[in-house]
Amino acid sequence: MKLRFNRKECFLKKRKVIKTAEGGRISTFEDVGAAFNATPYSKEGQTKVKPSGFIQHYQKQLLYEAAFEISVLNDVEVFAFRNFTMSVGDGICLYANKDSLPDYRIVSILPYTGHVRICLEKV
């Protein structure tokens, strides 16, 4: 599969959980992110429908072509690439600046032969 066209530089920011003074947990993202080039596209053409009947326009997909290894840490699949690791719940700066908070969150990661399909949801 050719993934050479329409590549965009994205920044991956790992999710971290902070405990508050009251004992609750807040999910935030790291300040520094890993850069990678992927092919983004919209999920509007797919039949992804909510129970209310509306197509989810706030979802995107990324195709990332690189060698990877899958491991399981704390019942979570972690995809290890050459320079970084990614898992469900991490943030992606797709259209946002690399110094700001991520504008998309990883919902699922689907491995294929030679590439990975990353499903994103607007934060």
Side-chain angles (χ1 to χ4, degrees):
M1 180 175 198
K2 282 188 178 180
L3 300 177
R4 295 185 191 136
F5 302 110
N6 299 330
R7 285 194 176 173
K8 180 169 177 41
E9 187 176 27
C10 306
F11 296 95
L12 172 75
K13 295 196 176 183
K14 300 295 287 180
R15 184 183 78 152
K16 62 181 179 180
V17 178
I18 300 173
K19 291 185 180 181
T20 62
E22 293 84 22
R25 295 181 179 181
I26 298 174
S27 179
T28 61
F29 300 100
E30 292 180 351
D31 296 331
V32 179
F36 65 98
N37 290 327
T39 306
Y41 68 94
S42 180
K43 278 184 78 173
E44 292 177 11
Q46 295 184 358
T47 58
K48 182 77 175 179
V49 179
K50 279 186 157 183
S52 61
F54 294 108
I55 297 174
Q56 298 177 353
H57 294 288
Y58 54 87
Q59 290 189 342
K60 296 271 186 199
Q61 286 190 357
L62 287 177
L63 294 178
Y64 181 57
E65 186 173 17
F68 60 90
E69 292 182 9
I70 303 172
S71 61
V72 177
L73 297 172
N74 299 331
D75 296 331
V76 176
E77 283 186 341
V78 177
F79 287 77
F81 297 99
R82 175 182 271 181
N83 298 329
F84 60 92
T85 61
M86 119 179 7
S87 61
V88 173
D90 293 343
I92 298 279
C93 293
L94 187 60
Y95 300 113
N97 190 5
K98 67 178 180 178
D99 298 327
S100 64
L101 288 174
D103 52 349
Y104 285 91
R105 180 179 61 92
I106 297 175
V107 177
S108 66
I109 304 171
L110 304 170
Y112 293 100
T113 305
H115 72 279
V116 176
R117 179 177 288 167
I118 306 164
C119 298
L120 305 174
E121 187 175 66
K122 189 108 171 125
V123 177

